[in-house]
Amino acid sequence: MTNEELQVLVEEISDRFFQLPFQHKAYFNPRLRTTGGRYMLGSHNIDINRKYLVEHGLDELIGIIKHELVHYHLHLQGKGYKHGDQDFKDLLKKVGGPRYCASLPESTKRKRILTYICSKCHLQYERRRKINTGKYVCGRCRGKLLFKKEELIEFRA
């Protein structure tokens, strides 16, 4: 689906479910990572995460569009457009939009752990960033710090 097809889809959903025109831009934003879509208060544009279309299909995408259009139309009408506002909850229920979007499959990320050890008291320090062992000393005994090891730990994001 292209940005032009997305624009047409958003306009059709707006007309069909809200009986109001969508007069701004809707486009796929490749920088979105943790959310399905985003309504921009300043420009009134809607950004959509393409990964949700690829991973979950058109039905999930339509739900995300409905959710963002609720923000859009309520904001332009001067009503409560935030998630906690009653106007938002009521209109979302009326148009059948989801409160939250489905989660994307979890990706595995790596975290670097650097271990330093004090030469006097043998206290271990774990850090994510390298430290200058010529400048910094042990906080307990002021002993010299020595680099011990570096590990890469995988975790679910």
Side-chain angles (χ1 to χ4, degrees), residues 17 23 35 46 48 55 58 65 70 74 76 96 114 117 124 130 134 146 154:
F17 290 96
Q23 298 175 326
T35 184
I46 292 177
I48 300 292
E55 297 290 332
L58 189 61
I65 292 170
V70 170
L74 289 175
L76 291 180
L114 301 167
I117 191 164
Q124 287 193 11
K130 287 184 178 180
L146 303 171
E154 291 187 3

Side-chain angles (χ1 to χ4, degrees), residues 56-123:
H56 295 289
L58 189 61
D59 289 338
E60 182 70 22
L61 180 72
I62 290 171
I64 291 168
I65 292 170
K66 286 180 185 178
H67 180 103
E68 299 309 324
L69 283 172
V70 170
H71 287 297
Y72 172 82
H73 288 300
L74 289 175
H75 182 246
L76 291 180
Q77 294 170 10
K79 296 180 179 177
Y81 61 88
K82 297 179 183 176
H83 289 118
D85 296 332
Q86 195 59 48
D87 290 334
F88 179 84
K89 292 176 185 177
D90 293 343
L91 185 56
L92 193 64
K93 186 182 280 188
K94 180 183 170 192
V95 299
R99 178 87 187 222
Y100 306 102
C101 57
S103 60
L104 287 172
E106 295 178 354
S107 62
T108 304
K109 292 192 176 185
R110 292 183 176 183
K111 180 168 50 171
R112 182 171 80 159
I113 303 291
L114 301 167
T115 305
Y116 295 88
I117 191 164
C118 174
S119 61
K120 282 186 185 176
C121 68
H122 304 289
L123 181 65

